[in-house]
């Protein structure tokens, strides 16, 4: 895979270059594992940006990481991602939640950033070509959760899950209320937390599917998704299909997926 660098300020290039270099070994290892899940349509390369290049020149989205058919774009700088995640510490959060969130994100490191670029690489699994809009939640959740399981130590993954569950609960009154299949409704232009909220929910939903209903087997959940996607006449949404196929409890339907029609 080839790598390129794009910065708005020349003085930021050394840090962006160093950050990109620190991620390349993790990316290479992860790609080898990813190919065990299915065919990967590899991108032509990865572009490492500084924050302004990623969010004002090449894109106008608030989060400095995305992928298209040919390239992955990411800001590799740990300090930038630490700032993004710590922005979730808004007024009104309890001291216990603030402590939990700050403890994790203050210790953010390149393994955490590697999970973000690996998330973008996971989108290049062939099975995720042309995913229906109401199944975006599954693609995004799977593309985040499975790299985390491969890259992060188990104790750090558990801690991150606790942090994101606390943030989901803390911000649900303002940003929640819509079912999981309406992914993206939380991102109303209000900043980093608004953009991240539905990702947190999607990750939590997919992790529940994998860990609770598939005994940790990501490949079996991906096979179910592929079976649903390849149906010639999809009469049900993906969430409905998975509920039936896996016997998802009503509690999880209410608390994890916020599905409509569940009291």
């Amino acid at each position: 895979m080839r790598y390129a660098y794009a910065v708005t300020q020349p003085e930021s290039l050394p840090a962006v270059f160093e950050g990109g270099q620190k991620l390349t070994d993790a990316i290479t290892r992860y790609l080898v594992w990813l190919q065990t899940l299915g065919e990967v349509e590899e991108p032509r390369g990865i572009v490492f940006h500084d924050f302004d290049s990623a969010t004002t020149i090449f894109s106008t989205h608030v989060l400095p990481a995305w992928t298209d058919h040919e390239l992955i774009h990411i800001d590799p700088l740990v300090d930038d991602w630490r700032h993004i995640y710590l922005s979730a510490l808004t007024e009104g959060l309890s001291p216990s939640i603030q402590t939990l969130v700050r403890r994790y994100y203050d210790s953010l490191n390149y393994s955490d950033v590697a999970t973000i670029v690996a998330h973008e690489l996971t989108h290049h699994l062939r099975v995720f070509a042309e995913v229906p809009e109401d199944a975006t939640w599954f693609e995004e959740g799977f593309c985040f959760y499975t790299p985390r399981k491969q890259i992060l130590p188990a104790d750090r993954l558990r801690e991150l899950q606790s942090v994101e569950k606390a943030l989901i609960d803390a911000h649900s009154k303002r940003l929640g209320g819509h079912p999981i299949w309406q992914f993206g409704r939380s991102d109303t232009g209000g900043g980093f937390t608004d953009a991240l909220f539905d990702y947190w929910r999607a990750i939590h939903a997919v992790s529940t599917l994998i860990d609770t209903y598939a005994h940790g087997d990501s490949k079996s959940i991906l096979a179910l998704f592929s079976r649903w996607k390849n149906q010639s006449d999809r009469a049900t949404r993906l969430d409905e299909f998975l509920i039936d196929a896996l016997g998802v409890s009503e509690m999880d339907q209410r608390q994890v997926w916020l599905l409509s029609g569940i009291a």
Side-chain angles (χ1 to χ4, degrees):
M1 192 177 300
R2 297 186 176 187
Y3 303 96
Y5 302 85
V7 298
T8 56
Q9 302 296 325
E11 59 269 22
S12 67
L13 181 57
V16 171
F17 180 82
E18 181 182 1
Q21 290 293 300
K22 288 181 178 179
L23 296 179
T24 54
D25 285 347
I27 294 166
T28 302
R29 290 193 301 272
Y30 180 73
L31 178 58
V32 172
W33 176 84
L34 184 63
Q35 290 167 335
T36 69
L37 289 185
E39 183 179 353
V40 179
E41 297 180 334
E42 288 188 42
R44 287 193 296 122
I46 299 176
V47 182
F48 295 109
H49 298 263
D50 62 11
F51 183 83
D52 286 342
S53 173
T55 58
T56 64
I57 305 299
F58 285 79
S59 171
T60 57
H61 194 261
V62 66
L63 297 175
W66 76 97
T67 189
D68 55 34
H69 294 300
E70 296 188 335
L71 293 170
I72 290 171
H73 300 261
I74 185 168
D75 174 351
L77 300 182
V78 172
D79 285 347
D80 288 345
W81 286 101
R82 183 180 295 114
H83 170 74
I84 288 168
Y85 288 124
L86 286 175
S87 70
L89 291 172
T90 55
E91 291 184 11
L93 297 187
S94 70
S96 61
I97 291 178
Q98 297 220 23
T99 298
L100 181 71
V101 172
R102 189 171 295 282
R103 183 173 62 226
Y104 188 91
Y105 291 124
D106 276 346
S107 67
L108 207 71
N109 58 53
Y110 275 102
S111 292
D112 295 289
V113 180
T115 68
I116 300 170
V117 70
H119 158 83
E120 302 301 345
L121 187 56
T122 308
H123 280 298
H124 288 264
L125 279 169
R126 188 175 181 83
V127 71
F128 289 133
E130 299 181 0
V131 172
E133 186 175 354
D134 59 11
T136 301
W137 67 270
F138 178 85
E139 179 180 0
E140 294 295 349
F142 188 93
C143 288
F144 253 126
Y145 185 61
T146 51
R148 290 176 173 186
K149 287 189 75 173
Q150 290 300 308
I151 294 172
L152 295 181
D155 58 343
R156 190 160 178 83
L157 176 58
R158 286 192 296 270
E159 184 180 0
L160 178 56
Q161 289 173 315
S162 297
V163 167
E164 290 183 344
K165 181 60 169 65
L167 289 171
I168 291 169
D169 293 342
H171 292 286
S172 281
K173 185 174 182 180
R174 181 173 69 89
L175 298 173
H178 54 284
I180 194 75
W181 55 269
Q182 293 179 341
F183 182 91
R185 280 189 57 182
S186 72
D187 187 5
T188 57
F192 299 128
T193 300
D194 294 38
L196 288 166
F197 181 81
D198 273 356
Y199 286 97
W200 294 331
R201 286 208 316 171
I203 297 164
H204 184 46
V206 170
S207 69
T208 300
L209 287 176
I210 293 172
D211 293 337
T212 302
Y213 296 96
H215 309 291
D217 185 1
S218 299
K219 199 167 187 176
S220 68
I221 292 295
L222 194 63
L224 275 176
F225 169 76
S226 181
R227 195 172 90 195
W228 170 82
K229 182 171 177 279
N230 290 331
Q231 290 176 346
S232 58
D233 181 19
R234 289 192 292 268
T236 60
R237 292 190 314 265
L238 175 61
D239 52 272
E240 296 169 329
F241 174 84
L242 292 173
I243 286 169
D244 182 63
L246 295 168
V248 177
S249 71
E250 287 198 5
M251 178 178 293
D252 283 335
Q253 291 178 50
R254 290 194 303 268
Q255 296 183 358
V256 179
W257 292 3
L258 289 178
L259 293 176
S260 57
I262 301 296

